[in-house]
Amino acid sequence: MGGVRVSPSEYRLKFFEEQGFVRKQCPRCGTFFWTRNRDQVYCNDAPCVEYNFWDVAKKARNLSVSEARKRFVDFFRRKGHEYVEPRPVVARWREDLYLTIASIVVFQPHVTRGIVPPPANPLVIVQPCIRLEDIDNVGVTMGRHLTSFEMGGHHAFNYPEKHVYWKEETVAYAYEFFTEELGVPEDQITFKESWWEGGGNAGPSFEVAVGGLELATLVFMTYEVVDGGYREMGLKVVDTGYGIERIAWFTQRAPTAFHAIYGDLVRKFHERLGVRLRHAELLWEAARRAGRLDPDDPASLTRFYESVAGGLGRRVDEVRQQLERAASVYALLDHTKTLALLLGDGVVPSNTGEGYLARLVARRALRWIARLGADVSLAELVRHQIDYWSRDYYPQLARMRSYILEVVEREEERYRRTLEQGVRYVERLVRRKRRLSVDDLVELYDSQGVPPDIVAEVAARHGVSVEVPRDFYAIVARRHGASGIGKVVEEKPRLPDEVVEWARGLPGTRRLFHEDPYARTFTARVVGHKGRYLVLDRTAFYPTGGGQLHDTGTIEACGESYKVVAVEKVGDVVVHVLDREFRGCAEVKGSIDWERRYRLMRHHTAVHILLGVLRRVLGEHVWQAGAEKTPEKARLDVTHYEVPDPKTLKTIEDEVNRIILEARPVRVRLLPRYEAEAAYGFRLYQGGVPMEPTIRVVEVEGVDAEACFGTHVANTAEVGAVKIVNVERIQDGVVRFELVAGTEVARYARSLEERLERAASTLGAPAAELEARLAKLVERLAELRELSSKLRSALLERLARLARLQAEALGGATLYTLEWVEGLEPSDYREIMKRLTSAQPRSLVVAVTSAGEGRSVVEVSRGGGVAVDLRELVRLLAGAGARGGGKPDHVTLMIPGDAREAARMVRDALARLLAG
């Protein structure tokens, strides 16, 4: 543990010596590197050198992204690697990550910790990835930065008892691939010494650079990162990442990576966004010089635009404007693909988790469209991406097409509404806060949806200076787990710490509740006891977990009877919490409360059926966001963008009950992890990801299959029936369903009958006549409301007339005073004030809107013809104990004293204010 000092010997390989490589140090970045070119000075990577790979790649075969992917896989297959299918871009199999950020993520932590063997060893994979840490740099660097990309990885897992290959072979593979497969001249390939960390692991690495472009990273995973330090792993992992898009860019010798990745979509996006580069040489000049660009350094950006302009003999401002608009197009190409991939994997935009990250990408794309002034919808641009990529490596985009486009349209409309409201909020904020920090900008973006550039524009109108960090969106993404840290809160046993430590030292408990969930009694041997906490060698008592409550019951031991009040799980040990201290005994007899357990089983199976039906009816994007099963009812929280309408809810409920009546079998199987994933996909992990080589799969035939720890009935018919009793949106992008099953349906029906009887009794009518009586009451209520509205209008008009009769002249204005009338609402007074000031612009209205308990609330309004700021009244009356605030033309004051005295104080203050 602790820090690791990397020795140069970690990077000194026999391969380098045999091939004539020499070790050098780059004078610009200080990095050590290996090269066969003895005249090479720099590390051959951006931003230390300009891009020159177009010259290096003259003999390379032109490869599309698809061809580069195939070339990479075929090469490593020939080298004895087994191909592994890629996983989704949303890391559903990880408890600690939202997004798949690298190919090694597929195998962390279950394989890298030695819990589960790899699916093949060695293996090759091309994994679609999403990283948002560099989102602000996309487009500016001509393709060096992307938010979505394909990582080609070949991996070897070296166990103490089985060595596969390590540094020598890995570097030799890279050298052969780039020189023989891609045609890179031998003296143009550079291996930079580096250090890599990610997903909880770390180790020395080489970055492979050619002509200013980093094409691969070769990581030798040696350590596990624990509490900020490093612990050496027993399992040593070769973790490589080849940039498939960069390989295509390199071989095509295109000016930008976007031309190599997106082909004709570049032209389409330029046309639809109304952005046209006037001169092709401008793009090539910028592409060559982009290698030296450090986008995080404002001075480097300035030098970049100056150097491009100087190279072409053009004005800097003209060059900058054209390149910034082109970069916006490239950013939109990237962001719309990333958004399509996220939604295609079932993400529902929201304000948390991966949903937040999807919304961030969508809103940044919408902001680019707005800044370009383009008359095009985000949905149209995303549709182009679906059409382009679903034919290649992403068939899920075609399958999820309608969902993707519907959600994008909803997000677009939502953003417009949010922005209008948010701008008004910023207007109010900058009037009282003269300086806005980065934290303020992030908070405004999170809570109000206002992008930082719009905040800066609004603030500037009020003389407030705002400095927007260039990497603002990366800051936001990092704070919301773009790299996945802090995704899940581990479910811990609700036991005292000393009991947890004690239980960890005991052998695992045999789970009779899994072997036979219908077992009601059992005998067991006592393994240990501590106060009222008891551990047995086996048990039928289910411990709290997976959203299902624990069992209760009794334990008989040596003539004593103990109540089991709770059951918890510590690792593989089940701890029974008794109603009193256990007095000791070698053997016990346990009896669970079967009626309670059976209700829990019915509810748990009902939740699985409901989830399967929701995916069927609402769409594949539905994913469990939380669940709870109690004897009385169950709840299921799912990702969805709206509360279903009554018709859809009826369809869902009918389908659930149809499946129950079909008496489908509910099977429980223990399957090897990869076999379970191959059979059911990552939908298995609805309730969490077990870090075990064997998965307990609960399958409701033809409806749902999940990795599940809970107890279930053997047949859907045993559920009896299901009634959805409540549906609500609990947060953005998450809908909660509450339901009852089995005997609880009858109980719920009885409670409804009792409520109906009470309502009928209140109305003095039989329950059978309740609807008719309510209809008459509603009709009468509407008549009374209409009458009340007419009477209110007449009363307000009379009060306004009375105020006019009692008006007085005050400082060249007309003063109206409205006395407090018990029963009137503040809104009534404001209506009268509006009538008076509209009819007489040079007027002031003082209204006492409430009084009592030694204080009065006074509202003051002015017409447009009176040039005073009423907020000054607050200052003038502060000495008399008044408090309040408002706008220049309307304020609200709280003043000590009765209504008459408060009105007099305000009148005197107004006279002073008008007198200047």
Side-chain angles (χ1 to χ4, degrees):
M1 286 290 293
V4 173
R5 186 180 297 275
V6 184
S7 167
S9 62
E10 291 274 9
Y11 303 99
R12 199 174 297 278
L13 304 182
K14 185 178 179 182
F15 173 85
F16 289 148
E17 181 184 339
E18 292 174 349
Q19 295 295 325
F21 279 78
V22 292
R23 188 173 188 251
K24 295 190 172 190
Q25 186 174 19
C26 179
R28 285 184 171 147
C29 67
T31 301
F32 287 95
F33 62 91
W34 295 84
T35 178
R36 290 183 63 173
N37 183 353
R38 295 181 180 275
D39 297 327
Q40 185 176 325
V41 176
Y42 303 110
C43 64
N44 211 9
D45 194 10
C48 293
V49 298
E50 291 184 348
Y51 292 146
N52 60 77
F53 63 84
W54 299 283
D55 299 325
V56 176
K58 284 180 179 177
K59 294 182 180 179
R61 180 188 169 193
N62 188 317
L63 299 175
S64 66
V65 171
S66 179
E67 290 166 339
R69 185 190 308 128
K70 186 176 185 303
R71 179 69 65 93
F72 173 80
V73 170
D74 288 349
F75 174 81
F76 282 98
R77 271 179 163 165
R78 293 196 302 271
K79 299 298 180 182
H81 294 67
E82 185 176 329
Y83 176 68
V84 173
E85 289 288 341
R87 295 200 177 189
V89 295
V90 182
R92 303 287 193 192
W93 62 95
R94 292 287 296 266
E95 292 281 18
D96 59 337
L97 287 175
Y98 294 123
L99 305 177
T100 309
I101 57 173
S103 61
I104 193 61
V105 164
V106 173
F107 312 105
Q108 289 173 312
H110 52 289
V111 175
T112 56
R113 287 183 186 170
I115 300 169
V116 179
N121 196 13
L123 61 85
V124 60
I125 185 173
V126 176
Q127 176 61 47
C129 301
I130 292 179
R131 290 183 193 169
L132 302 181
E133 288 89 339
D134 294 317
I135 189 170
D136 298 281
N137 297 332
V138 174
V140 179
T141 55
M142 301 293 163
R144 194 194 323 161
H145 296 94
L146 303 169
T147 61
S148 55
F149 56 93
E150 294 178 21
M151 180 177 288
H154 66 92
H155 302 282
F157 302 87
N158 297 284
Y159 294 87
E161 68 279 6
K162 182 188 177 183
H163 178 83
V164 182
Y165 63 79
W166 195 230
K167 295 177 186 177
E168 296 285 353
E169 297 90 338
T170 303
V171 172
Y173 284 148
Y175 183 77
E176 182 181 348
F177 178 77
F178 287 117
T179 57
E180 297 186 14
E181 292 292 315
L182 299 189
V184 176
E186 294 177 345
D187 62 349
Q188 293 296 315
I189 187 168
T190 301
F191 292 88
K192 289 172 56 182
E193 297 178 8
S194 188
W195 177 264
W196 179 92
E197 287 189 25
N201 298 106
S205 65
F206 288 109
E207 295 170 0
V208 185
V210 179
L213 195 62
E214 182 188 325
L215 295 176
T217 301
L218 317 176
V219 177
F220 305 99
M221 196 180 288
T222 311
Y223 303 97
E224 187 175 3
V225 182
V226 181
D227 297 328
Y230 301 99
R231 179 168 59 204
E232 188 166 356
M233 300 161 56
L235 171 65
K236 303 296 192 296
V237 182
V238 172
D239 168 27
T240 66
Y242 286 62
I244 299 301
E245 288 90 351
R246 289 193 179 191
I247 291 170
W249 185 15
F250 173 84
T251 62
Q252 290 183 40
R253 301 170 65 211
T256 76
F258 304 98
H259 290 79
I261 298 166
Y262 295 100
D264 194 51
L265 278 188
V266 176
R267 179 191 59 79
K268 280 185 182 177
F269 271 53
H270 270 285
E271 287 179 357
R272 293 300 293 123
L273 293 164
V275 176
R276 185 168 65 88
L277 277 178
R278 298 189 187 94
H279 307 286
E281 64 269 22
L282 172 60
L283 187 60
W284 277 105
E285 185 71 20
R288 277 190 290 272
R289 297 183 184 273
R292 291 299 316 279
L293 171 61
D294 179 358
D296 295 323
D297 178 6
S300 178
L301 270 169
T302 300
R303 290 194 299 272
F304 167 67
Y305 292 122
E306 288 174 347
S307 66
V308 174
L312 297 172
R314 297 214 176 97
R315 294 200 332 268
V316 175
D317 59 341
E318 175 194 353
V319 165
R320 182 170 193 142
Q321 182 188 45
Q322 287 197 55
L323 289 179
E324 284 181 345
R325 286 176 65 79
S328 301
V329 176
Y330 303 149
L332 278 164
L333 279 160
D334 171 271
H335 293 5
T336 49
K337 179 189 177 186
T338 298
L339 183 59
L341 292 177
L342 286 167
L343 299 180
D345 276 346
V347 173
V348 177
S350 67
N351 292 328
T352 59
E354 61 265 31
Y356 180 94
L357 300 176
R359 178 164 287 165
L360 181 145
V361 174
R363 292 188 171 180
R364 192 165 193 271
L366 287 165
R367 190 63 193 137
W368 279 126
I369 293 172
R371 291 176 73 172
L372 288 172
D375 183 20
V376 62
S377 70
L378 180 60
E380 179 186 333
L381 299 181
V382 171
R383 178 170 54 78
H384 286 308
Q385 296 285 6
I386 295 171
D387 293 340
Y388 189 83
W389 291 105
S390 59
R391 298 191 300 265
D392 181 30
Y393 205 48
Y394 306 95
Q396 73 272 22
L397 297 183
R399 191 176 68 250
M400 299 288 284
R401 181 189 183 92
S402 60
Y403 166 73
I404 294 170
L405 295 178
E406 180 183 356
V407 168
V408 172
E409 288 169 0
R410 284 174 172 271
E411 282 298 297
E412 198 160 0
E413 179 56 34
R414 180 192 177 97
Y415 176 68
R416 289 195 183 96
R417 291 197 312 269
T418 301
L419 198 56
E420 291 170 4
Q421 297 166 0
V423 167
R424 289 196 291 270
Y425 180 87
V426 175
E427 291 273 6
R428 295 194 298 272
L429 179 67
V430 295
R431 289 193 189 103
R432 59 182 173 81
K433 194 166 186 176
R434 307 307 298 171
R435 185 177 180 278
L436 298 181
S437 65
V438 173
D439 286 341
D440 290 325
L441 293 176
V442 173
E443 173 62 25
L444 284 168
Y445 182 82
D446 280 350
S447 63
Q448 304 296 323
V450 186
D453 54 317
I454 290 183
V455 175
E457 290 172 12
V458 174
R461 293 200 295 267
H462 293 268
V464 177
S465 177
V466 176
E467 187 173 339
V468 179
R470 212 196 141 274
D471 60 343
F472 173 80
Y473 288 93
I475 292 171
V476 174
R478 283 194 295 272
R479 291 190 184 187
H480 285 268
S483 56
I485 304 304
K487 172 179 174 181
V488 75
V489 177
E490 183 182 355
E491 189 175 290
K492 295 182 179 179
R494 287 164 288 191
L495 296 169
D497 291 344
E498 63 272 16
V499 174
V500 172
E501 286 303 312
W502 165 73
R504 282 185 177 140
L506 299 176
T509 309
R510 183 177 165 189
R511 304 166 186 172
L512 300 178
F513 53 82
H514 278 172
E515 294 175 19
D516 181 9
Y518 290 86
R520 306 182 187 195
T521 62
F522 67 99
T523 58
R525 184 174 55 82
V526 174
V527 172
H529 59 92
K530 185 179 180 69
R532 65 192 189 107
Y533 302 97
L534 174 67
V535 174
L536 308 173
D537 66 334
R538 60 185 196 156
T539 186
F541 283 95
Y542 180 84
T544 293
Q548 179 179 326
L549 278 183
H550 58 79
D551 287 331
T552 60
T554 60
I555 283 181
E556 308 289 335
C558 295
E560 297 276 349
S561 180
Y562 303 86
K563 288 183 180 179
V564 177
V565 296
V567 189
E568 297 289 338
K569 182 170 169 283
V570 180
D572 290 329
V573 176
V574 176
V575 180
H576 306 75
V577 184
L578 309 180
D579 62 337
R580 67 186 192 279
E581 183 176 348
F582 187 71
R583 294 186 179 180
C585 197
E587 291 188 353
V588 303
K589 179 182 178 181
S591 301
I592 67 169
D593 181 338
W594 172 248
E595 191 269 338
R596 184 178 187 276
R597 155 73 78 78
Y598 196 52
R599 285 191 286 154
L600 282 164
M601 289 165 63
R602 283 173 139 180
H603 277 132
H604 202 150
T605 303
V607 165
H608 280 228
I609 297 170
L610 175 60
L611 181 57
V613 169
L614 290 175
R615 285 200 301 270
R616 195 180 287 178
V617 175
L618 301 181
E620 290 185 44
H621 62 279
V622 169
W623 195 272
Q624 179 176 308
E628 183 182 41
K629 304 93 183 177
T630 70
E632 295 75 30
K633 66 177 182 178
R635 68 166 172 83
L636 173 65
D637 303 336
V638 298
T639 54
H640 190 55
Y641 47 82
E642 65 179 356
V643 174
D645 59 43
K647 183 179 178 182
T648 304
L649 283 175
K650 183 179 182 304
T651 300
I652 291 166
E653 193 173 79
D654 288 348
E655 181 66 6
V656 168
N657 283 295
R658 184 184 67 78
I659 289 166
I660 289 170
L661 289 174
E662 287 176 349
R664 300 191 185 198
V666 180
R667 299 188 183 91
V668 178
R669 292 194 291 166
L670 295 175
L671 294 175
R673 187 185 192 93
Y674 297 119
E675 184 180 331
E677 290 175 352
Y680 301 107
F682 301 109
R683 291 280 178 198
L684 275 173
Y685 304 130
Q686 296 288 331
V689 186
M691 285 295 106
E692 297 173 2
T694 301
I695 304 294
R696 183 176 185 265
V697 178
V698 175
E699 181 183 12
V700 180
E701 187 180 82
V703 178
D704 180 74
E706 299 178 36
C708 181
F709 189 77
T711 56
H712 290 266
V713 296
N715 188 289
T716 61
E718 289 188 60
V719 175
V722 161
K723 176 62 185 169
I724 297 172
V725 299
N726 183 52
V727 182
E728 61 181 326
R729 175 180 172 271
I730 61 167
Q731 68 181 58
D732 196 24
V734 178
V735 177
R736 171 167 292 173
F737 292 80
E738 293 181 340
L739 62 128
V740 291
T743 54
E744 295 304 310
V745 175
R747 219 174 249 131
Y748 175 72
R750 280 198 299 274
S751 73
L752 291 181
E753 287 174 350
E754 290 166 1
R755 289 167 65 185
L756 285 172
E757 291 291 345
R758 287 195 298 271
S761 177
T762 301
L763 293 174
E769 297 176 13
L770 190 59
E771 283 186 85
R773 183 63 65 89
L774 280 173
K776 287 181 180 179
L777 281 174
V778 170
E779 184 180 345
R780 182 59 181 153
L781 181 60
E783 293 170 357
L784 290 172
R785 279 179 175 159
E786 184 179 357
L787 177 61
S788 173
S789 177
K790 290 177 180 177
L791 290 173
R792 175 182 172 276
S793 182
L795 175 61
L796 296 187
E797 181 54 40
R798 179 157 298 211
L799 290 172
R801 193 180 307 134
L802 181 62
R804 291 190 190 100
L805 290 173
Q806 297 175 346
E808 61 177 299
L810 186 70
T814 301
L815 176 65
Y816 301 113
T817 302
L818 300 172
E819 293 186 1
W820 177 57
V821 178
E822 189 171 359
L824 285 185
E825 298 290 333
S827 58
D828 296 325
Y829 287 103
R830 292 187 199 111
E831 175 65 25
I832 300 171
M833 297 169 93
K834 184 179 178 182
R835 293 182 186 186
L836 292 170
T837 55
S838 297
Q840 171 55 276
R842 287 195 56 77
S843 65
L844 292 153
V845 186
V846 176
V848 181
T849 59
S850 70
E853 299 180 359
R855 62 183 183 180
S856 300
V857 177
V858 181
E859 297 197 29
V860 186
S861 191
R862 67 166 172 80
V866 182
V868 295
D869 187 342
L870 293 180
R871 291 174 298 186
E872 286 295 308
L873 280 176
V874 181
R875 182 182 60 80
L876 289 173
L877 292 170
R883 293 183 291 113
K887 298 183 290 187
D889 60 350
H890 188 101
V891 294
T892 302
L893 299 155
M894 185 176 289
I895 302 174
D898 61 23
R900 193 177 297 277
E901 177 64 17
R904 185 194 62 76
M905 289 173 63
V906 172
R907 181 199 176 283
D908 292 347
L910 280 171
R912 295 199 303 274
L913 189 60
L914 291 167

